[in-house]
Amino acid sequence: MQEVILARSAGFCFGVRRAVEMAQTLADSGKPYVMLGPVIHNQEVIRDLEARGVGCVDSLEALPPDCGVIIRSHGEGQAVHQRLREMGREVADATCVKVTKIHRIVEEASRRGRQVIIIGEAEHPEVKAIAGWCQGARVFRDVEELDGFLGEKDENHKKPITLVSQTTSTHKIWGPCREKVKKECTNAEIFDTICDATCKRQSEAQSLAERCGAMIVIGDKKSSNTTRLAQLCRTHCPLVYHISRAEELDRGMVSGVASVGITAGASTPGWIIKEVKVKMDENTNVMEIEESFADMLEKSIKTLNTGDKVTGVVTGITATEVNVDLGTKHAGYIPLAELSDDPTAKVEDLVKVGDEIETYVMRVNDMEGVATLSKKRLDAVKNWDTIETAVEEKTVLEGVVTENNKGGIVANVKGIRVFIPASQTGMPRGADLSEMIKEKVRLRITEVNRSRRRVVGSIRAVAAEERAAKAAEVWANIEEGKRYDGVVKSLTSYGAFVDIGGVDGMVHVSELSWSRIKNPAEVVSVGDQVSVYVISFDTEKKKISLGMKDRDQDPWEKFTSTYDVGDTANVRVVKLMTFGAFAEIVPGVDGLIHISQIADHRIDKPGDVLEEGQNVDVKITDIDHERQKVSLSIRALLNDARTAVDEDEMEQDGEDPEFVGV
């Protein structure tokens, strides 16, 4: 038995259905209307409308007096709309919303002095209408024709290019043209205006043609959409028949073929498809076929209402919106601003063509056949449930700080504003909270009032819990000598407190450096990343003593390897006492200059001669290796210098210093 398969997307697209329904409604209204050109490319539909009283004329001059005008789905140029306004005619614009969008694109491009290029058939009504909304548009069928234009060096070629496509073109034609312009032209604007419904129809037809021994393509011979379907099917199937209606079909054309596929152009009404299907499938109960088509029709014309939750399939992604097939007569689209509440998210990371997506209906325009959708708002509804659950389950959520105000900051958490009081931000009292804007934060929801849309959260609560968990881990594994990377949290006169991961330890001023320092600020600042090691700890009192000095660099060894008794050194006075002055010889090793060794005469106190921070030359008079103490003397150097001067004077007088006084 022969298998007959009907393509799912066969028949009217939403734009054609809208145009036909608009014309039928006007016909039933009793007011006189005429079509300015066939409203769609299907003679059977045009005959039906004429029988209902809606005639068709080819020009403005042929319009009957005192009647309204229906603009066909392919659209008309700007001049035609202007002329109709001047004539005072009532106009019903049945232009496909996709085509109208192209009109706006090229009109704006022309206003900015750009060169508009249209990829399509120059004589097609849709292309003529598009060209009628801009100045000096150029039309090319394929990349070969386009290449010739790009090679020209005239004035128009110097203009920045805006590239669009006829809605019924194919990606096989459009793709090379788009890539050519990208490669050859700088500052080009490229808009992929092939209708997503057309793409879906063509893809399904090709897939069906690959599986079937014969294909029947139904549609008017003047329909560009249907003609392209037939061309595409012929590349995959040996037997392809393009017919307008069932009378043209002969069963003998497909006899002996195991499977026959049926598809139809966007301008083909369902009743013609049904006639062909019935004739092909003579063994099938006609009532069952009619019920099947009734179901399909019901699905295709189901209404949408603002606030509905709907599921569709992503069919296209442009620079401004995501196109969604809802399986209805409406063209669904999501403005990019309604796709996600994350301003940094990239569209390509969120959705891809072919993805099933659940959205919220923001607005429905039945006249234009368009439904404006929002994924962000549907997510927000779901996210309220998540927020409320987070309070009960004490879930930690992530958000981004968006603003600060007098009482705290506001974070965006899953598209919902969450207020965080200043005391719960984790910042010090009086800190500039504006520094947190754009910062990603982790917080816990503490209060939710959905009716008032009020949500309160706390960053501090999460930070405290995380710090407690880290502290427990530190105390469980701490041991003397263990090293940690920490952060300086605060400074005191006697040392620095360092956070080693949830626990603060204290580095005494004497453990900050081998050099003698008066204030910890001489070595570290709050916020510094430092490496420390554990000197001692008390688990019960929760106290930790830390060190920063490198124990591997013993300053005493450095001193003894550099100096010996009798050597002269330049030292820095670090502390004055009543009995003398301590001076740093090398970092970590101080020596004592006794008050009796500061000068070669009697002084009352060290401050009479020295001051802290002063550098002086001294003689090392003694080194106590066992107690690591060093004695220094300025007086010894002065005596040495005086003796040297006396010896020089005696040599000049001719005396031998060794025999003086003998």
Side-chain angles (χ1 to χ4, degrees):
M1 183 177 177
Q2 191 177 63
E3 182 184 19
V4 179
I5 307 171
L6 177 63
R8 293 183 60 185
S9 299
F12 281 174
C13 66
F14 67 88
V16 169
R17 179 178 288 107
R18 169 178 169 271
V20 173
E21 290 178 351
M22 184 183 296
Q24 290 174 341
T25 300
L26 292 171
D28 296 339
S29 70
K31 296 180 181 179
Y33 271 89
V34 295
M35 295 174 281
L36 184 57
V39 69
I40 66 169
H41 272 161
N42 189 283
Q43 286 302 311
E44 299 298 329
V45 173
I46 301 306
R47 291 191 190 100
D48 177 70
L49 289 172
E50 288 177 338
R52 292 170 180 249
V54 179
C56 183
V57 299
D58 294 328
S59 65
L60 293 173
E61 290 71 26
L63 287 174
D66 302 323
C67 70
V69 179
I70 301 174
I71 301 293
R72 57 188 170 182
S73 60
H74 297 106
E76 291 289 350
Q78 190 175 31
V80 173
H81 285 267
Q82 177 64 30
R83 180 64 181 138
L84 288 172
R85 284 194 294 269
E86 293 171 354
M87 295 170 69
R89 296 299 182 114
E90 187 172 339
V91 175
D93 191 353
T95 305
C96 172
V97 62
K98 296 287 186 179
V99 178
T100 299
K101 183 176 179 179
I102 304 176
H103 293 173
R104 302 287 82 82
I105 291 171
V106 300
E107 181 183 23
E108 172 64 16
S110 183
R111 186 186 64 78
R112 292 186 286 129
R114 302 182 70 88
Q115 172 65 61
V116 174
I117 294 179
I118 307 169
I119 303 301
E121 298 292 337
E123 296 304 314
H124 193 280
E126 178 190 315
V127 175
K128 286 184 176 181
I130 294 170
W133 286 89
C134 54
Q135 299 293 322
R138 301 292 297 269
V139 182
F140 303 105
R141 287 181 299 180
D142 49 38
V143 71
E144 284 75 18
E145 289 189 2
L146 176 63
D147 190 40
F149 166 75
L150 295 179
E152 297 175 6
K153 301 300 179 184
D154 58 13
E155 289 300 316
N156 284 334
H157 183 61
K158 295 179 181 178
K159 295 180 180 179
I161 286 175
T162 294
L163 184 71
V164 297
S165 170
Q166 183 178 343
T167 59
T168 54
S169 184
T170 66
H171 282 292
K172 184 176 180 180
I173 295 173
W174 168 252
C177 295
R178 177 187 59 207
E179 295 307 314
K180 187 70 176 177
V181 169
K182 279 185 179 180
K183 182 178 179 181
E184 299 288 338
C185 307
T186 58
N187 197 26
E189 290 180 344
I190 301 175
F191 296 89
D192 188 348
T193 52
I194 295 178
C195 177
D196 50 310
T198 298
C199 294
K200 184 177 180 181
R201 186 188 313 275
Q202 292 173 351
S203 176
E204 287 183 6
Q206 291 180 91
S207 177
L208 194 57
E210 290 175 349
R211 296 188 288 125
C212 296
M215 284 293 297
I216 296 174
V217 182
I218 312 168
D220 196 285
K221 298 296 176 62
K222 294 182 180 180
S223 168
S224 172
N225 181 285
T226 310
T227 301
R228 289 195 186 279
L229 276 181
Q231 292 172 347
L232 291 170
C233 288
R234 289 189 179 102
T235 63
H236 300 282
C237 183
L239 292 176
V240 177
Y241 301 100
H242 182 177
I243 63 174
S244 299
R245 56 180 306 167
E247 285 79 358
E248 300 176 24
L249 179 64
D250 183 351
R251 286 281 300 176
M253 294 161 57
V254 293
S255 62
V257 179
S259 59
V260 180
I262 299 176
T263 187
S267 301
T268 307
W271 62 269
I272 292 181
I273 301 173
K274 183 175 69 175
E275 285 182 348
V276 174
K277 181 71 166 57
V278 170
K279 190 168 184 178
M280 283 297 302
D281 202 358
E282 292 175 343
N283 296 325
T284 303
N285 185 288
V286 175
M287 182 59 70
E288 290 179 358
I289 295 174
E290 289 176 348
E291 289 175 355
S292 175
F293 270 87
D295 291 341
M296 291 172 61
L297 182 62
E298 175 62 27
K299 290 179 180 178
S300 68
I301 63 174
K302 67 182 181 182
T303 59
L304 291 177
N305 298 300
T306 299
D308 286 352
K309 287 192 290 186
V310 293
T311 300
V313 177
V314 176
T315 57
I317 299 173
T318 72
T320 58
E321 63 192 39
V322 175
N323 299 313
V324 180
D325 180 3
L326 299 172
T328 72
K329 66 179 181 180
H330 295 89
Y333 76 93
I334 308 172
L336 295 189
E338 292 296 328
L339 189 60
S340 171
D341 57 30
D342 183 357
T344 64
K346 296 181 180 179
V347 179
E348 57 269 24
D349 295 335
L350 299 175
V351 292
K352 293 179 174 57
V353 173
D355 287 354
E356 187 173 85
I357 187 170
E358 188 178 15
T359 62
Y360 169 89
V361 179
M362 292 171 55
R363 185 168 52 255
V364 179
N365 189 325
D366 288 319
M367 285 299 293
E368 294 187 359
V370 174
T372 306
L373 311 172
S374 173
K375 183 177 183 299
K376 181 173 72 174
R377 298 193 187 189
L378 181 61
D379 290 342
V381 173
K382 293 180 179 179
N383 290 337
W384 271 104
D385 296 334
T386 302
I387 291 291
E388 290 180 333
T389 302
V391 177
E392 300 173 4
E393 299 181 356
K394 297 184 178 181
T395 308
V396 175
L397 302 176
E398 291 187 350
V400 177
V401 178
T402 57
E403 60 184 277
N404 72 302
N405 53 39
K406 187 176 181 180
I409 58 176
V410 175
N412 183 316
V413 180
K414 295 183 178 296
I416 297 173
R417 286 169 52 90
V418 178
F419 174 69
I420 303 165
S423 62
Q424 297 302 313
T425 62
M427 295 285 280
R429 184 187 297 273
D432 184 3
L433 298 182
S434 64
E435 295 179 357
M436 297 185 69
I437 293 177
K438 295 184 179 181
E439 182 180 329
K440 288 187 177 181
V441 295
R442 290 164 52 80
L443 52 87
R444 173 164 287 122
I445 304 300
T446 57
E447 178 187 338
V448 176
N449 188 321
R450 194 164 184 170
S451 61
R452 295 178 58 193
R453 303 184 69 80
R454 173 179 168 81
V455 184
V456 180
S458 171
I459 298 172
R460 180 181 176 184
V462 175
E465 290 178 3
E466 292 178 344
R467 183 176 175 83
K470 290 180 180 179
E473 183 178 352
V474 170
W475 284 112
N477 299 288
I478 196 169
E479 57 185 34
E480 291 185 7
K482 188 171 184 178
R483 284 192 168 274
Y484 291 92
D485 290 326
V487 179
V488 178
K489 304 299 290 185
S490 62
L491 301 178
T492 68
S493 60
Y494 51 84
F497 285 93
V498 177
D499 181 354
I500 58 173
V503 177
D504 286 353
M506 204 274 284
V507 184
H508 190 270
V509 65
S510 63
E511 293 294 334
L512 283 169
S513 171
W514 286 111
S515 298
R516 185 188 292 269
I517 58 173
K518 288 185 175 181
N519 193 310
E522 297 177 32
V523 180
V524 293
S525 301
V526 173
D528 283 355
Q529 302 279 339
V530 294
S531 177
V532 295
Y533 54 88
V534 178
I535 296 176
S536 63
F537 62 91
D538 188 327
T539 306
E540 292 183 1
K541 294 182 178 180
K542 301 297 182 185
K543 291 185 177 181
I544 302 174
S545 177
L546 302 172
M548 263 182 58
K549 295 191 301 189
D550 189 346
R551 294 294 184 184
D552 294 332
Q553 295 183 2
D554 189 340
W556 182 260
E557 291 184 3
K558 181 179 179 181
F559 164 71
T560 56
S561 63
T562 306
Y563 296 99
D564 204 345
V565 174
D567 289 347
T568 300
N570 185 265
V571 299
R572 180 172 63 90
V573 177
V574 293
K575 190 165 187 175
L576 299 178
M577 308 294 288
T578 56
F579 54 83
F582 285 101
E584 183 183 67
I585 309 169
V586 296
V589 177
D590 293 346
L592 173 64
I593 312 173
H594 191 271
I595 189 170
S596 63
Q597 299 299 314
I598 291 176
D600 57 359
H601 57 278
R602 182 180 180 81
I603 60 173
D604 293 329
K605 57 183 182 298
D608 292 341
V609 177
L610 302 175
E611 59 183 25
E612 292 183 5
Q614 180 181 355
N615 284 80
V616 294
D617 289 331
V618 298
K619 185 174 183 178
I620 299 174
T621 58
D622 185 54
I623 299 176
D624 186 339
H625 291 277
E626 184 176 345
R627 298 167 63 191
Q628 294 189 351
K629 291 187 176 182
V630 184
S631 298
L632 307 174
S633 174
I634 299 173
R635 178 179 177 182
L637 279 184
L638 295 175
N639 289 339
D640 289 346
R642 185 178 300 108
T643 300
V645 170
D646 291 343
E647 290 178 350
D648 287 342
E649 289 178 350
M650 292 178 67
E651 286 180 355
Q652 291 175 6
D653 292 339
E655 298 180 356
D656 188 342
E658 294 184 5
F659 295 97
V660 173
V662 177

